[in-house]
Amino acid sequence: MFIDSIKKVYEKPSYLILSALIAIAVFIFAVLLPNFSLIINLLGLESASLFQKLKVIFSLFGSIKTNFTVISASYTILIAILFGVNVSMLIYYIKSRKGTIKIKGSGTGTSLGGLISGIFGIGCAACGTFILSAILGLFGATGIISFLPLGGEEFGIIGVLILVYAIYATAKKIQAPNVCSS
Amino acid sequence: MINIINTNINKKRGSAMVGISIIVAGLIVAGAVLFTKNDSVPNSPQAGTPTQHNGGNTSTDNVREVTSDDHILGNPNAAVKIVEYSDFECPFCNRLHGILNQVISEYGEDGDVAWVFRHFPLDQLHPRNARKVAVASECVAEIAGESAFWEFSNEFFANSPANDRTDLNAVIPPILTGLGVDQSKFDECAESGRHDDKIQADIDNAVATGGRGTPWSVVIGPNGETFPLSGAQPIEAIRQIIEVAKVQ
């Protein structure tokens, strides 16, 4: 059932391209997130050439090795891919039902939940550079992270699980026949 | 007819839902960017109790002038200075420490780059050890000099499991012995509290420059242009930033 849905969606190359573009966008965002200030600074520099600026930005992608643990790098890549797949499947589902679907239960909320949870897990939890630290810090609760066995990486893993569930739920809906319900 | 209208309404709702999802995702992204921006953070929730925070305005321009009181590796008069705010119990500071050692060996002791080490112990995340190790490193510098400070930091990072799991009584004494630091002098220094103000000043400056976690660095060009650098970035990125900073 799950494989059939995937095949159905990716029969059309446009969905494959869409998934890839979304996955790349999420990945770029996740890796460059800690250094947005640097990038904004660089882009505003008049004395550096565009080539130099691009070289700096591209070199920051190497931080997937240095600024992530094996676990956080893995779930960052997974979240990007799964989110791309999930959005494509959702769009396919909405289009294929030609507008007969109910808004409730379309799976969008679960997908977004997965992405939000994933974003919370981005960064170095142990060093306070990830987003969850900043949010907890607003409430003076950063110390909570030190009690988590994986130091906050749990949120990224939860993000992956929610996205897998969202894809499964969407796949099930794609396969379900069009029926009138009371 | 009614069916056609309903279908159209549902179609529009479906498209609207996708649109709303994209907007919500955009808002999350914007929120995330705001959380990582450094100029509007009133103080560091992660860092150990900053004593001042420049009225809530943080900027890399607030970086304290590099002086002979700092721990400097490389050429102290270099065109480019990398001021790193580090926590001895942070695993990514450990990584950046190795990368910056490599940068200094590439550019040389008389080259275009100076690495300035400042303390940024994250008391909330590493309450047991972070500040104690910062004090220990200052005591080593006081007793055995600057090169001993750098050797201590290299040795500590090499032998620490990080994240507040280091058994300081097992890790620090052998390093002190290796550096020829007298244990009784070290104990007296560690208990005196005379380096507390310096460490606190480093923390305050880290926060004032926008640091919210470690490793946090500010790269300073010859004309004072500053570049924020968050996290343990790869050596290639640091080389590229140095090259850009050099011509500022």
Side-chain angles (χ1 to χ4, degrees), chain B residues 64-87:
Chain B
R64 197 177 68 225
E65 194 189 344
V66 176
T67 67
S68 55
D69 289 339
D70 280 302
H71 302 294
I72 305 169
L73 200 63
N75 178 4
N77 302 312
V80 178
K81 294 180 177 74
I82 303 172
V83 180
E84 183 207 10
Y85 298 89
S86 181
D87 175 338

Side-chain angles (χ1 to χ4, degrees), chain B residues 160-177:
Chain B
S160 161
N163 286 333
D164 235 9
R165 289 173 299 170
T166 316
D167 179 355
L168 298 185
N169 293 326
V171 171
I172 291 180
I175 302 176
L176 299 181
T177 308

Side-chain angles (χ1 to χ4, degrees), chain A residues 118-164:
Chain A
I119 286 175
F120 280 176
I122 289 170
C124 168
C127 312
T129 56
F130 84 149
I131 293 170
L132 183 70
S133 308
I135 294 166
L136 289 176
L138 295 175
F139 308 102
T142 320
I144 290 171
I145 294 164
S146 58
F147 292 104
L148 296 172
L150 295 176
E153 290 183 331
E154 288 84 352
F155 289 90
I157 296 166
I158 290 169
V160 170
L161 295 177
I162 294 173
L163 279 169
V164 168

Side-chain angles (χ1 to χ4, degrees), chain A residues 32-74:
Chain A
L32 297 185
L33 178 67
N35 279 298
F36 268 118
S37 301
L38 170 68
I39 293 167
I40 290 164
N41 230 359
L42 274 174
L43 293 176
L45 275 184
E46 284 175 9
S47 52
S49 68
L50 180 66
F51 180 64
Q52 268 184 312
K53 292 172 186 177
L54 289 176
K55 264 169 94 175
V56 174
I57 293 168
F58 278 109
S59 63
L60 290 172
F61 285 109
S63 69
I64 190 75
K65 277 190 197 164
T66 54
N67 208 27
F68 288 74
T69 61
V70 175
I71 296 173
S72 66
S74 307

Side-chain angles (χ1 to χ4, degrees), chain B residues 162-246:
Chain B
N163 286 333
D164 235 9
R165 289 173 299 170
T166 316
D167 179 355
L168 298 185
N169 293 326
V171 171
I172 291 180
I175 302 176
L176 299 181
T177 308
L179 293 172
V181 174
D182 182 86
Q183 184 72 49
S184 58
K185 279 185 184 170
F186 175 84
D187 291 340
E188 184 277 323
C189 171
E191 283 159 24
S192 70
R194 60 179 169 262
H195 294 291
D196 292 355
D197 287 348
K198 180 185 181 182
I199 292 165
Q200 190 59 51
D202 283 357
I203 294 169
D204 291 342
N205 193 234
V207 174
T209 56
R212 299 187 319 165
T214 56
W216 167 248
S217 310
V218 178
V219 179
I220 310 170
N223 289 330
E225 182 81 36
T226 55
F227 302 87
L229 192 61
S230 180
Q233 296 305 320
I235 190 159
E236 186 51 31
I238 294 170
R239 278 190 204 119
Q240 295 300 334
I241 294 165
I242 290 169
E243 293 311 309
V244 169
K246 233 158 70 170

Side-chain angles (χ1 to χ4, degrees), chain A residues 4-5 13-14 22 35 44-45 48 50 56 75-76 78 80 85 88 100-101 104 108 118 124 144 146 148 159 168:
Chain A
D4 289 343
S5 295
S14 56
I22 293 170
N35 279 298
L45 275 184
L50 180 66
V56 174
Y75 70 63
T76 300
L78 263 176
V85 170
S88 299
T100 59
I101 56 160
K104 275 185 187 174
T108 323
C124 168
I144 290 171
S146 58
L148 296 172
Y168 170 76

Side-chain angles (χ1 to χ4, degrees), chain B residues 89-133:
Chain B
E89 284 291 341
C90 160
F92 291 87
C93 295
N94 193 342
R95 285 190 192 176
L96 187 63
H97 196 81
I99 292 166
L100 289 177
N101 262 316
Q102 216 180 320
V103 168
I104 295 302
S105 20
E106 270 182 27
Y107 282 83
E109 290 291 318
D110 300 314
D112 284 335
V113 182
W115 170 17
V116 180
F117 185 105
R118 287 181 183 164
H119 299 286
F120 194 14
L122 305 178
D123 291 337
Q124 285 194 36
L125 291 174
H126 312 128
R128 212 162 59 97
N129 292 343
R131 205 176 276 251
K132 280 184 193 164
V133 187

